[in-house]
Amino acid sequence: MATINDTEKADAPRIVLSGVGKWFDDLCVFQGVDLDVGKNEIISIVGPSGCGKTSLLRCLNGLLKPDQGQVLVDGEPVLGPRKSIAMVFQDFGLFPWKTVLGNVGYGLKVRGVPKSEIRDVAQHFIKLVGLEGREHAYPFQLSGGMQQRAGLARALTVNPNVLLMDEPFGSLDAQTRELLQFELLNIWSENPTTMVFVTHAIEEAVLLGDRVVVMMGRPSSIRTIVDVPLPRPRDPSTIASAEFQQIRHYVWELVMGVERGRSDGAAHVG
Amino acid sequence: MADLTDTHPDRAAPGDPGPTPRSSPEAKAARAIGRMWRSKSVRTRLGTFVVIMTAWQAGVMMFGRDYMATPLGILAVAPEMLTTDAQLWNNTRMTLVDVAIGLGLGGAAALLVGIALGQAKTLEAALGPYINGLYATPMLAILPIFTLWFGFSEQTRIALVIFSAFPPLAIGAWDGSRAVSKRYLEIADSFGAQRRHVWLGIAVPASLPYLVAGFRLASGRALTAAVVVEFLTAVDGLGIYAMTLTTTFRHDEAVVAIAILSIVGVLLTVGVQKTIEKFLPWYGNM
Ligand SMILES: Nc1ncnc2c1ncn2[C@@H]1O[C@H](COP(=O)(O)OP(=O)(O)OP(=O)(O)O)[C@@H](O)[C@H]1O
Ligand SMILES: [Mg+2]
């Protein structure tokens, strides 16, 4: 959701990663990560399990401190959790003791927003993600898809400049997943915001992203950034287009090819 | 909230005609009894009860003395005692009010201290050993000191109840708040939650199973403490009343008084847990 003063420096990137690296003790997870993310851009990140995608997101929202380089959001270094950054978690991350309403309103509550306002805002986003009527249900009474809708609504309530998504649909069944991908696209086109979307699914990465970042190696770094010049709004017909399939295949080859190259011990030239 | 109960499989058993509108209370009661009778666990309990009571009755009749309490004897005195014995209810009230005060004060303090200990490392290092020490101290050992401070009075009873109830609940809260999943803390953190939000909004609900377990222990110890104080200081209450009945060979009556203590104990332990399960449906689904 763009605010007025965004227009001042409309072309200044929302996120700037420069030379970012992270160690856990002597294990270097990733290093030399350079990436600019523009306002209202959607960046997908794909990469093998353990390559540090979650850790990178955690550096982005200030839950982790990078050991190297710098993370800037809106021109300022991220030193801790920030109001303008919200995260959606792979395991939904809902509090089991809170209802949908309580969970969705959580971000506003810890910000000290008055109760009645929390209610209104939460209700708005509950409706937006299609959970109307389930406000008083607890997470255990919801399907995975519904829980993640609540997780998404919770992140949206705080009106984030940056929305970080850590494999949000990774644990959902294929149908629900596809449904939510398109709903997310719809929500985004009505409330555009900068989004960093981590996923294992190449098709999902291409469908959502303006660019797809491929992370590789050990320690990992950005191997390639693939442009996805597909028109928006994107819908199910996008997937059927030849161009989509081409890009999807290209990213697939990048991801798989490099993997195969490494296990063969042969150098792979991209 | 209506949809909460939908998930209970036993709500709408197949063939159940469902709630007929405007059914009379008698019909409802009859249906409830029917339901209970069909329930296997209820039948098992009833069976066990009959066996135990029969054995008790027969045992005393064959081998006991005639002042000993028997189920039939209790049944004979209980109705009148429960309806007309003002002393019984006075004593009950005195004991229970102090137990409630002690449990309330001790419990609230324990909750505060326990949650804080689990969340703040420095506090844990500073105070942890004392909490463990308190828990290990036999409550009887401290009683003479309390009687010196407070005399043979109700304050002594409250003090010992607090002293007994505090440690198990504090340790429960402490364990629970230390074991709060890092996930929850991270989520709270990512939204910029402050400490007070984390302690109250996350540590407390996330440790509820530990709190319930701690409270079970605490309430048992609280009742024991109250009775012990009455025995040793002769402060009026249900414990001393039962003792008087016993020493004057009115054992059927004594059992009625003791049973009130047991029932209160059960209400405090099982009752609290069931209430929580009923009103906090997420409990057990964490
Ligand atoms: N707090 C931590 N302490 C130590 N090591 C960690 C920590 N968090 C992550 N790691 C390690 O860092 C590496 C990257 O983890 P991360 O979770 O970021 O990977 P990922 O790309 O998100 O994997 P996945 O796709 O499976 O979610 C892993 O080897 C992991 O074991
Ligand atoms: Mg991950």
Side-chain angles (χ1 to χ4, degrees), chain A residues 211-268:
Chain A
R211 290 183 288 161
V212 176
V213 171
V214 181
M215 287 180 74
M216 281 282 157
R218 213 156 262 270
S220 74
S221 54
I222 294 181
R223 170 57 58 98
T224 321
I225 300 180
V226 179
D227 270 315
V228 185
L230 297 169
R232 292 188 189 270
R234 297 178 186 167
D235 55 29
S237 68
T238 308
I239 294 180
S241 73
E243 202 181 0
F244 177 89
Q245 290 302 333
Q246 225 171 9
I247 300 169
R248 191 191 64 81
H249 188 69
Y250 177 62
V251 176
W252 184 83
E253 271 189 338
L254 274 170
V255 172
M256 303 306 282
V258 171
E259 289 269 88
R260 189 168 13 151
R262 210 176 42 180
S263 59
D264 290 344
H268 177 87

Side-chain angles (χ1 to χ4, degrees), chain A residues 53-55 90 166-167 198:
Chain A
K53 304 180 296 294
T54 298
S55 304
Q90 170 168 13
D166 189 6
E167 298 184 44
V198 165

Side-chain angles (χ1 to χ4, degrees), chain A residues 24 27 29 47-56 58 90 167 200:
Chain A
F24 288 113
L27 170 79
V29 185
S49 191
C51 78
K53 304 180 296 294
T54 298
S55 304
L56 185 63
R58 289 165 49 127
Q90 170 168 13
E167 298 184 44
H200 274 120

Side-chain angles (χ1 to χ4, degrees), chain A residues 4-18:
Chain A
I4 308 289
N5 56 11
D6 287 341
T7 49
E8 290 171 18
K9 303 171 284 174
D11 46 347
R14 180 71 79 196
I15 303 171
V16 178
L17 298 175
S18 44

